[in-house]
Amino acid sequence: MDMWMMPPLLLLLFPLLMWTSSTFVFYFKKFFYVAWMMCLALLGIPICLLKSGGRDVENMRVIRAMVRHVKYLLGLHIEVSGWEHLQTEGPYVIISNHQSSLDVLGMMEILPDRCTTIAKKELVYAGTVGLICWLSGIVFINRKKTSDAKSVMADAAKTMLDEQIILWVFPEGTRNQNGDLLPFKKGAFHLAVQAQVPIVPVVFSSYSSFYLQKEKQFKSGTIRLKILPKIETKGMTSEDVSSLSGQSHNLMRTAFLEISGSITHSNGPLKH
């Protein structure tokens, strides 16, 4: 085949694969998502440097503004309920369930001002995305070293109060697509109790109706976000952390099953 015929052939093949192969769509969307986010980060880095001169939580505004359109490119729609619960004054801790890197899209949809997140240390090495995350004040922890994680959390509590910031934490500690919530790690709750600040739970509905990692499916769909009423920690001590974690888990699991509703996938209905 002549080389000059290859580009037209690829142009014809691409829509055919997009129409007939769900596996091709899955890998194309995944590649596009990562590549586009890295390009956006490359554009955002100089803006952050010009705006704030370096590492500053205010740079999260730049990320929020640049990322909000990405959901449309992936064929996703985001519905939010409970907006009023994010109007809490002063610093607080947001906790949410964690399913995939797509959580970033829902996060940026509702991200309050002066809010940053806690993320695994490996993210800082993710090229342009890692750099813009660092510039935006994201707190990186080494999940493999408990002593390091506790030290970072203690510093984060002090920073929250000193700089009046909001911290977003994923208490499951890892991505989870099993149709239910994993048990919560205690770090976020120690953080809130130590700082004596409220916890605001945010629940993402199941992605199983449009995104399945094992089955290699990535279709258009809707992400439902439900923001729950704040949970006060005033007067609590470290002895209350386990019950606080359990209470939060129960509330979030109930909301998760509610907003995921009748969403099902090839493995059957969501776990109740």
Side-chain angles (χ1 to χ4, degrees):
M1 184 181 291
D2 293 334
M3 291 299 293
W4 66 269
M5 293 182 64
M6 289 297 291
L9 183 61
L10 289 173
L11 286 174
L12 289 172
L13 192 59
F14 177 76
L16 180 64
L17 287 170
M18 288 292 286
W19 183 260
T20 60
S21 173
S22 61
T23 301
F24 178 81
V25 171
F26 174 84
Y27 283 112
F28 174 77
K29 279 190 168 184
K30 288 272 285 186
F31 171 79
F32 173 80
Y33 179 50
V34 172
W36 189 240
M37 293 294 265
M38 292 190 80
C39 289
L40 290 174
L42 185 63
L43 292 172
I45 288 166
I47 297 174
C48 289
L49 290 171
L50 288 170
K51 182 177 185 292
S52 303
R55 182 172 163 85
D56 192 324
V57 68
E58 288 295 326
N59 287 328
M60 285 299 286
R61 293 172 182 258
V62 176
I63 297 179
R64 182 176 63 189
M66 296 188 76
V67 168
R68 277 188 170 174
H69 73 282
V70 176
K71 59 182 180 288
Y72 301 119
L73 302 180
L74 297 175
L76 299 177
H77 175 67
I78 298 176
E79 296 177 355
V80 182
S81 61
W83 274 107
E84 67 276 10
H85 302 307
L86 281 183
Q87 305 306 311
T88 303
E89 293 184 1
Y92 53 94
V93 175
I94 296 175
I95 56 172
S96 69
N97 53 317
H98 189 22
Q99 296 179 76
S100 82
S101 59
L102 295 175
D103 296 344
V104 172
L105 303 181
M107 184 180 177
M108 291 301 136
E109 191 76 11
I110 67 170
L111 192 80
D113 290 339
R114 297 197 61 73
C115 178
T116 190
T117 187
I118 292 178
K120 59 184 180 180
K121 192 176 182 180
E122 292 84 353
L123 182 61
V124 79
Y125 304 113
T128 55
V129 170
L131 180 53
I132 200 167
C133 285
W134 181 83
L135 285 170
S136 301
I138 286 179
V139 179
F140 297 101
I141 61 170
N142 187 343
R143 294 181 301 180
K144 295 176 183 177
K145 291 187 178 181
T146 305
S147 58
D148 288 356
K150 285 183 177 178
S151 175
V152 169
M153 285 294 196
D155 291 342
K158 184 176 186 304
T159 303
M160 281 184 72
L161 298 174
D162 291 347
E163 300 183 18
Q164 293 290 293
I165 65 171
I166 300 160
L167 272 175
W168 190 307
V169 187
F170 298 98
E172 289 173 290
T174 189
R175 296 176 187 178
N176 164 41
Q177 277 195 296
N178 72 358
D180 207 339
L181 270 61
L182 295 176
F184 286 170
K185 296 183 182 298
K186 303 295 194 297
F189 306 97
H190 278 293
L191 172 67
V193 168
Q194 187 171 340
Q196 293 287 284
V197 298
I199 292 172
V200 176
V202 172
V203 185
F204 292 73
S205 62
S206 171
Y207 298 167
S208 62
S209 64
F210 63 87
Y211 180 80
L212 292 169
Q213 179 80 25
K214 290 182 180 177
E215 290 82 353
K216 302 294 182 286
Q217 292 183 12
F218 194 166
K219 302 180 288 187
S220 298
T222 298
I223 299 172
R224 299 182 186 91
L225 284 179
K226 185 169 185 177
I227 306 160
L228 304 182
K230 67 180 178 181
I231 302 170
E232 289 289 356
T233 66
K234 284 276 176 68
M236 289 187 180
T237 68
S238 57
E239 294 180 356
D240 300 304
V241 164
S242 290
S243 60
L244 178 63
S245 172
Q247 176 192 1
S248 302
H249 188 279
N250 290 338
L251 289 169
M252 290 177 66
R253 184 174 186 269
T254 299
F256 174 77
L257 295 172
E258 174 197 329
I259 61 176
S260 298
S262 59
I263 294 173
T264 59
H265 52 75
S266 57
N267 294 327
L270 292 169
K271 298 175 184 177
H272 287 256

